[in-house]
Amino acid sequence: MSEVGLYLEDGTAWPGVSVAAPGAAVGEAVFTTAMTGYQEALTDPSYARQLLTFTAPMIGNYGIEDASSESRRVQATALICHEARNYKPNGREGLLDWLRASGVVALSGLDTRALVRHLRDRGAMLGVACGEGVSRGDALALLAAEPPMAGRLLAGEVSGELDGLPRTGARCHVVVLDYGAKASIVRLLEQAGAVVTVLPHDATAAEVDALAPDGVLLANGPGDPGSMDAHVAEVRAMVDQGRPLYGICLGHQLLGRALGLETFKLPFGHRGANHPVFESASGRVLVTSQNHGFAVRAPENGDGSLEVTHRSLYDGTVEGLRLCGRPVWSMQFHPEASPGPHDAREKLAEFVEACAGRAGENG
């Protein structure tokens, strides 16, 4: 007999109603505080292997539109919410129809306020979203077999979602390392004037160098950066190539490791569109969009060559790095902010400016 609901690895059960595809979905239970942008979040490859809980009370109240997706498919393993709607304004597809057609489990009617407090207190943990047609026993068996998020290398599961995007621009050539990149990152690079070439997550520094780009962007993506030693070695070699290098989210973490820092798993992560970050150079507080479960540990000592440029005002974690005297920097938050505020959106344009300057120097 099917018992619809969310079951967590600590033994707690959260009853709900199945509103999309039948079956069961297993992954890490996490939450986002973003009030809009459910389509962008669900299609963000960084949510791979995660059961995405929305703190916004109503989800699906403005439908689905093709231009808002961050990749070709739904990346989150399941949607969890308090109230799901299938509204279809102006002929748009409804959220629940879209999820059902995509084979994605969605649960509505949960007490998401209590669930989010639970995840904040206990930390993000594995869970299984049990929809129609699956017994509780079978769902719990799936949960028991699921490996933890720590130690998982997931970039290979989502890399390649951007193939086929139009390539335009003329000021410079940028290579994007696709660990699970969002489409809006590429769009903003192109709008700033870059020709973009997307390479898969396991591309080598030699393969990048063979393209002779003016700059390299290490994109976002899912999984534990601590499990990506081979990727870190390639990033270290890219740093030594001397061209502008910019890391976002997972790319920031990989760069941090390449520069000798450690990464660690946060208790419940930073996910949402309202995270305040202090920017040392300007003294500004940026309200940022974030989606990550791991962070870079701050350098304790050193020769002063590595600067922490941004810090979270929630927990003090490192949100930005710069290699002094070199065109190498990174940010843990998402400057493209899709969804989210645009406080940091100019950071991508600044990166293109640096790449364009190198292009000019090289004739």
Side-chain angles (χ1 to χ4, degrees):
M1 177 176 161
S2 177
E3 295 183 53
V4 174
L6 173 67
Y7 301 97
L8 298 179
E9 65 175 316
D10 66 354
T12 57
W14 305 81
V17 178
S18 179
V19 292
V26 65
E28 184 182 41
V30 300
F31 64 88
T32 175
T33 57
M35 299 299 291
T36 62
Y38 52 79
Q39 181 180 348
E40 292 92 331
L42 288 165
T43 56
D44 180 352
S46 293
Y47 279 117
R49 300 289 182 170
Q50 292 181 324
L51 312 174
L52 181 54
T53 300
F54 287 88
T55 58
M58 181 187 292
I59 299 298
N61 54 326
Y62 54 82
I64 296 295
E65 59 180 0
D66 292 341
S68 294
S69 288
E70 288 294 337
S71 64
R72 294 177 181 154
R73 59 189 171 95
V74 178
Q75 303 285 350
T77 309
L79 177 150
I80 311 295
C81 67
H82 177 67
E83 181 181 351
R85 297 288 301 275
N86 199 40
Y87 190 50
K88 307 174 186 180
N90 302 319
R92 292 181 184 176
E93 185 176 13
L95 169 65
L96 302 184
D97 291 339
W98 179 62
L99 293 175
R100 194 174 297 112
S102 301
V104 177
V105 173
L107 301 179
S108 181
L110 278 80
D111 184 350
T112 50
R113 289 186 298 178
L115 173 58
V116 168
R117 287 198 300 270
H118 186 78
L119 294 176
R120 282 184 62 92
D121 292 342
R122 303 287 185 88
M125 64 184 77
L126 294 179
V128 58
C130 186
E132 298 289 351
V134 178
S135 70
R136 177 172 179 170
D138 288 344
L140 292 178
L142 288 174
L143 176 57
E146 182 73 2
M149 184 60 73
R152 297 193 72 173
L153 200 169
L154 298 177
E157 296 184 10
V158 296
S159 182
E161 289 290 312
L162 298 184
D163 290 349
L165 287 176
R167 304 286 175 243
T168 59
R171 300 182 64 207
C172 58
H173 176 207
V174 170
V175 163
V176 171
L177 269 295
D178 178 12
Y179 307 114
K182 295 170 64 179
S184 55
I185 292 175
V186 175
R187 283 197 296 266
L188 287 174
L189 291 174
E190 293 179 337
Q191 287 174 15
V195 174
V196 178
T197 299
V198 179
L199 294 183
H201 72 102
D202 54 356
T204 66
E207 289 170 336
V208 170
D209 201 41
L211 296 174
D214 302 302
V216 178
L217 186 142
L218 311 173
N220 63 291
D224 182 354
S227 69
M228 303 177 71
D229 291 350
H231 298 77
V232 169
E234 297 301 336
V235 170
R236 190 177 298 117
M238 292 177 209
V239 171
D240 291 339
Q241 289 171 352
R243 54 178 58 90
L245 182 69
Y246 179 32
I248 294 176
C249 200
L250 179 59
H252 157 81
Q253 296 160 9
L254 294 176
L255 179 62
R257 286 199 60 202
L259 297 177
L261 303 181
E262 297 179 346
T263 56
F264 65 98
K265 196 174 192 305
L266 294 165
F268 51 82
H270 296 172
R271 298 177 180 90
N274 55 352
H275 287 255
V277 168
F278 179 72
E279 184 174 69
S280 300
S282 67
R284 293 192 303 159
V285 174
L286 310 178
V287 181
T288 68
S289 179
Q290 303 202 12
N291 174 15
H292 60 101
F294 295 84
V296 173
R297 199 176 301 281
E300 295 181 1
N301 298 299
D303 57 7
S305 64
L306 187 58
E307 175 189 2
V308 175
T309 59
H310 298 76
R311 283 193 180 270
S312 168
L313 291 180
Y314 278 159
D315 56 15
T317 51
V318 174
E319 293 278 353
L321 293 168
R322 180 178 290 276
L323 187 57
C324 298
R326 304 278 294 278
V328 176
W329 67 102
S330 63
M331 290 165 187
Q332 179 63 80
F333 50 91
H334 282 260
E336 80 286 351
S338 181
H342 293 175
D343 289 19
R345 186 165 273 197
E346 76 276 3
K347 305 302 181 184
L348 284 166
E350 291 172 3
F351 168 63
V352 172
E353 287 294 329
C355 297
R358 177 183 171 87
E361 293 172 3
N362 293 337

